[in-house]
Amino acid sequence: MTVLSCLIDVPHPGEYVREELEARGWSQRDLAYILGVPEQAINMITSGKRGISPEMAKALGTAFDVSAGYFANLQQAYEMVNARAPDPAVARRATLQATFPVREMIRRGWLTDTDIGMLEAQVMRFFRKNSLAEVPYLAHAAKKSDYGETNPLQLAWLFRVRQLADEMVVPAFSAKKLTALADELPRYMLDPEEVRHIPRALSECGVRFVVVETLPKANIDGVCFWIDDQSPVIGMTTRHDRIDNFWFVLRHEIEHVLNGDGRGELSAEAVDVDLEGADDAELPAIEVNANKAAQAACVPVDELESFYIRKFPYIAEKDVLAFARRIRRHPGIVVGQLQRKMDRYNWLARHKVKVRQHLAGSALVDGWGDIAPAEL
């Protein structure tokens, strides 16, 4: 006999109570007297109309001189066998949620909360596949906090960027124009409000620029990937909403575009990311190059080193402000570079102002309570 058939034959615990009564020659009234309960309560159990509560299991165990667990286990076994099978949708929803951040994607408006069949269809459409098992890792060069394999949270974020970027209309990509823009970026770095010009400037170069709020624990700052060989995309999270981080990440991703990083790669194995705070020796060569370009754009390396040698370890705030004015950068950008060199991330942190608010109205932004339309 199989285990399943044994479980199916589990009788109601009341039958065992009747057997004990017969073995002792007791009536139901006798047992009710011993337990100090109404006779009707015993009758309900022996007739299978009521289960055995934990309190009753203890009382019966004492009356029959057996373990209380004996009756408790009989009741549990009976209830498990007779419990209704769960809705098959439970297992399917669990599989989705264990793999992808489905609830968060629903909250963000990327998916619609509906029955499991339609939800699975939405997930497949979101990842552009006919089967959940075929969902790929999108080739990309991303800036995030570690170099591990792209996880489902990051993958979902990437595909949202891809979904929005696909609907954007921009001129043909021009590496020449993007190179010129990269050289001109410092002129936007003095006033925080100047970031509002960046989305249009990138669009004129043929680069799709999308800002999508990160998913919880995704730990990703920016990404560069290509829709096709001539259609680059830069996506950013602005999860660290600071002027220094914005410009560093942006210039980092522009360098990836100029180098063609991620172009034509359609597998997850080619993931190029930035390890925040790591030594260049620990980074892939393409990340070292992107970081150098970003650092040079934020604060010229020679200028920063000269200032640091002259002023460290007693760097006064007025000296930082004067230095920032001379190189025509916002003080927050200079502070960000100096904090990294000194490993003192609270030092003069008030100068690292927020900039995301200045992107509203000029960039395609998805998140922070607003849902960008998937079809523009």
Side-chain angles (χ1 to χ4, degrees):
M1 184 179 290
T2 66
V3 173
L4 179 60
S5 61
C6 287
L7 289 175
I8 292 175
D9 291 338
V10 172
H12 189 277
E15 292 190 21
Y16 295 94
V17 175
R18 288 203 305 272
E19 291 176 1
E20 291 291 341
L21 291 176
E22 291 174 5
R24 287 167 172 74
W26 293 352
S27 66
Q28 293 185 23
R29 182 171 296 177
D30 293 333
L31 181 60
Y33 168 75
I34 293 170
L35 298 181
V37 299
E39 184 179 350
Q40 180 66 16
I42 302 301
N43 181 263
M44 294 290 285
I45 292 174
T46 56
S47 63
K49 296 179 180 178
R50 177 183 295 173
I52 296 177
S53 68
E55 292 79 8
M56 180 60 75
K58 287 185 175 182
L60 289 172
T62 301
F64 293 138
D65 194 22
V66 298
S67 167
Y70 173 75
F71 289 103
N73 291 336
L74 288 175
Q75 182 65 40
Q76 182 182 36
Y78 177 79
E79 290 176 355
M80 287 297 294
V81 167
N82 289 277
R84 289 185 301 173
D87 185 337
V90 171
R92 292 162 68 183
R93 283 196 296 267
T95 298
L96 283 183
Q97 186 61 41
T99 309
F100 308 111
V102 172
R103 288 186 64 250
E104 181 65 15
M105 293 167 74
I106 291 172
R107 187 189 72 81
R108 296 279 298 276
W110 302 359
L111 303 172
T112 301
D113 194 6
T114 182
D115 66 81
I116 186 60
M118 290 299 296
L119 185 59
E120 288 174 336
Q122 287 183 73
V123 170
M124 288 184 283
R125 185 164 61 248
F126 183 87
F127 290 109
R128 301 166 179 238
K129 286 296 177 180
N130 296 320
S131 166
L132 292 175
E134 297 174 358
V135 171
Y137 285 132
L138 184 66
H140 61 284
K143 183 179 187 302
K144 59 184 182 181
S145 62
D146 63 60
Y147 279 89
E149 182 179 283
T150 304
N151 63 46
L153 290 168
Q154 295 162 344
L155 185 65
W157 181 85
L158 287 167
F159 268 82
R160 179 58 172 176
V161 173
R162 171 73 183 262
Q163 184 183 56
L164 297 176
D166 265 346
E167 302 299 329
M168 299 178 71
V169 178
V170 298
F173 171 62
S174 169
K176 182 178 179 180
K177 288 183 178 180
L178 185 60
T179 300
L181 175 61
D183 293 338
E184 294 174 1
L185 282 184
R187 75 183 181 90
Y188 296 101
M189 295 184 184
L190 187 57
D191 186 336
E193 293 186 9
E194 292 297 290
V195 301
R196 72 186 190 278
H197 299 298
I198 295 304
R200 184 178 66 180
L202 287 170
S203 176
E204 291 172 351
C205 298
V207 178
R208 294 165 168 84
F209 178 69
V210 182
V211 179
V212 177
E213 181 184 1
T214 186
L215 292 165
K217 300 182 181 179
N219 296 331
I220 191 166
D221 294 318
V223 65
C224 156
F225 63 87
W226 299 72
I227 292 176
D228 55 50
D229 282 351
Q230 297 300 318
S231 303
V233 177
I234 290 178
M236 290 179 62
T237 65
T238 64
R239 68 186 180 111
H240 301 301
D241 185 10
R242 307 185 309 255
I243 190 169
D244 61 316
N245 183 264
F246 174 84
W247 287 113
F248 190 92
V249 173
L250 178 67
R251 183 61 183 87
H252 180 103
E253 302 307 337
I254 287 176
E255 190 67 13
H256 279 314
V257 176
L258 292 174
N259 293 336
D261 297 334
R263 177 185 272 162
E265 298 170 347
L266 298 176
S267 66
E269 287 74 20
V271 176
D272 302 312
V273 297
D274 183 39
L275 181 60
E276 193 163 338
D279 236 349
D280 279 353
E282 302 174 22
L283 304 179
I286 61 171
E287 295 301 323
V288 173
N289 293 335
N291 279 345
K292 286 181 177 178
Q295 183 177 356
C298 289
V299 181
V301 177
D302 292 343
E303 295 268 16
L304 181 66
E305 195 63 26
S306 174
F307 175 81
Y308 188 74
I309 290 173
R310 286 184 291 107
K311 301 294 183 178
F312 185 78
Y314 306 110
I315 305 177
E317 182 176 13
K318 64 182 180 62
D319 292 332
V320 174
L321 298 178
F323 176 59
R325 283 195 301 271
R326 182 169 65 79
I327 65 171
R328 297 190 61 76
R329 300 294 194 278
H330 188 276
I333 299 174
V334 175
V335 167
Q337 293 291 312
L338 289 172
Q339 285 180 340
R340 192 179 183 101
K341 287 180 72 68
M342 296 187 295
D343 195 24
R344 292 176 55 191
Y345 291 95
N346 290 327
W347 181 74
L348 299 182
R350 65 182 178 278
H351 290 290
K352 301 199 298 184
V353 298
K354 300 179 182 299
V355 296
R356 187 193 306 129
Q357 60 186 327
H358 302 305
L359 292 171
S362 63
L364 179 55
V365 178
D366 181 85
W368 301 282
D370 294 320
I371 302 172
E375 297 182 3
L376 305 178

